[in-house]
């Protein structure tokens, strides 16, 4: 919906609708428990919101700004996955805990990356029912569909020590098979893709580096050091600027997407973790 920014509020279980022209008129939408990973379905006029503690995804009518349905996930997840590592068994909460969403380009399937089971759920949007799941990544942070629609790209930070994730995982979208691991650095906290499919970027939180790739073959083209703690990455709608948030340093960096040159840094922020670019 034009002129509205939807913000997931994990502490209150709400999604807040913020009018760009009048932020003071922000309206909370009661949704669930701990909201993470919003995703827009423009064709249906919906906003999907993952809920960390209910094994499900909520659907919100963007025009009415109200909850219309909840699509439940099974608690067991991908049947072929081994037990999660000891580092990553989190209480409270049981089973799957959704943290990131991506919509299929055809608009028929919603992908949900989950903690707990560390898999990717697939939801049939025609029925609201879950389809067969894919194996995923430990500590998922982001899931995207490639520009050509053939692949899923997973960013995840992993656990502790040897259980840290240091690569992007590229999955065949049709089969769910992992076809490539792209080296990035310790704790891959975010990924961005150019709309034309030519370029991709990722951030390594514990190395503090922003890495650029040729998305055709996933070869690294450039690397920029921004400091340990970078854990949010977003590309501007015009594809010209990367915004990188550092929740430890309290900064947001603006970086030229083509050259990876640092343009400017905003200092003094309180642990920035979520970024959205509105034009």
């Amino acid at each position: 919906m034009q002129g509205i920014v939807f913000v997931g509020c994990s502490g209150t279980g709400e999604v807040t609708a913020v009018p760009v022209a009048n932020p003071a008129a922000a309206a909370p939408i009661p949704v669930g428990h701990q909201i993470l990973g919003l995703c827009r379905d423009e064709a249906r006029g919906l906003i999907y919101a993952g809920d960390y503690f209910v094994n499900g995804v909520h659907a919100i009518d963007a025009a009415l700004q109200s909850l219309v349905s909840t699509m439940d996930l099974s608690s067991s997840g991908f049947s072929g996955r081994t037990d999660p590592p000891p580092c990553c068994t989190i209480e409270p909460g049981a089973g799957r805990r959704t943290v990131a969403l991506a919509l299929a380009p055809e608009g028929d399937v919603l992908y949900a990356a989950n903690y707990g089971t560390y898999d990717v759920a697939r939801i049939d949007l025609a029925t609201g029912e879950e389809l067969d799941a894919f194996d995923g990544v430990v500590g998922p942070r982001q899931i995207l569909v490639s520009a050509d629609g053939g692949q899923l790209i997973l960013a995840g930070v992993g656990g502790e020590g040897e259980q840290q994730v240091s690569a992007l995982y590229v999955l065949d979208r049709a089969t769910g098979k992992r076809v490539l691991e792209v080296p990035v650095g310790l704790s891959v906290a975010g990924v961005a893709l150019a709309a034309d499919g030519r370029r991709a970027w990722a951030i390594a939180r514990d190395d503090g580096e922003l890495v650029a790739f040729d998305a055709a073959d996933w070869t690294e083209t450039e690397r920029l050091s921004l400091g340990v703690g970078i854990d949010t990455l977003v590309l501007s709608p015009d594809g010209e600027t990367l915004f990188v948030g550092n929740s430890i340093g309290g900064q947001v960096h603006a970086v030229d997407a083509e050259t990876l040159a640092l343009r400017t840094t905003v200092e003094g922020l309180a642990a920035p973790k979520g970024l959205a670019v509105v034009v």
Side-chain angles (χ1 to χ4, degrees):
M1 188 177 182
Q2 292 292 333
I4 303 290
V5 176
F6 292 89
V7 182
C9 303
S10 63
T12 59
E14 297 172 336
V15 171
T16 301
V18 183
V20 175
N22 184 17
I29 306 168
V31 172
H33 293 80
Q34 187 167 355
I35 306 304
L36 295 168
L38 301 187
C39 179
R40 183 185 182 192
D41 186 339
E42 186 173 3
R44 292 181 174 84
L46 298 175
I47 301 293
Y48 301 119
D51 198 326
Y52 191 78
F53 283 135
V54 301
N55 291 340
V57 176
H58 306 294
I60 299 161
D61 187 300
L64 298 177
Q65 296 181 17
S66 63
L67 177 68
V68 293
S69 66
T70 296
M71 297 172 285
D72 296 325
L73 301 178
S74 73
S75 60
S76 57
F78 176 65
S79 60
R81 183 166 186 85
T82 58
D83 291 337
C87 70
C88 305
T89 302
I90 304 171
E91 297 295 341
R96 295 158 112 182
R97 299 184 284 275
T98 301
V99 297
L101 300 171
L103 184 65
E106 301 84 0
D108 58 343
V109 173
L110 184 67
Y111 298 94
N114 305 291
Y115 267 78
T117 50
Y118 307 112
D119 62 358
V120 177
R122 300 190 305 140
I123 301 173
D124 183 335
L125 292 175
T127 64
E129 300 296 322
E130 183 179 355
L131 305 170
D132 291 341
F134 296 157
D135 199 1
V137 62
V138 173
R141 287 297 184 89
Q142 199 166 3
I143 181 169
L144 299 176
V145 181
S146 62
D148 64 6
Q151 298 173 325
L152 295 173
I153 317 300
L154 280 172
V157 296
E160 300 174 356
E162 64 182 14
Q163 293 157 341
Q164 283 182 290
V165 174
S166 60
L168 284 173
Y169 289 177
V170 181
L171 278 59
D172 180 89
R173 191 164 72 92
T175 65
K177 300 294 185 182
R178 189 185 306 170
V179 296
L180 192 62
E181 294 186 15
V182 183
V184 178
L186 287 180
S187 298
V188 185
V191 59
L193 301 175
D196 61 9
R198 292 176 46 246
R199 295 172 295 162
W201 303 265
I203 51 174
R205 183 192 65 192
D206 294 351
D207 288 339
E209 292 188 318
L210 169 65
V211 187
F213 301 94
D214 181 334
D217 57 6
W218 289 101
T219 55
E220 181 179 326
T221 59
E222 195 70 51
R223 188 173 286 253
L224 174 66
S225 180
L226 291 172
V228 173
I230 53 173
D231 51 12
T232 306
L233 173 65
V234 65
L235 178 66
S236 63
D238 62 11
E240 295 182 357
T241 306
L242 293 160
F243 294 95
V244 185
N246 188 318
S247 62
I248 294 178
Q251 304 151 331
V252 171
H253 305 286
V255 178
D256 186 285
E258 183 68 34
T259 66
L260 235 60
L262 179 63
R263 290 176 174 171
T264 188
T265 297
V266 179
E267 304 275 1
L269 302 174
K273 284 193 174 182
L275 300 175
V277 180
V278 180
V279 294

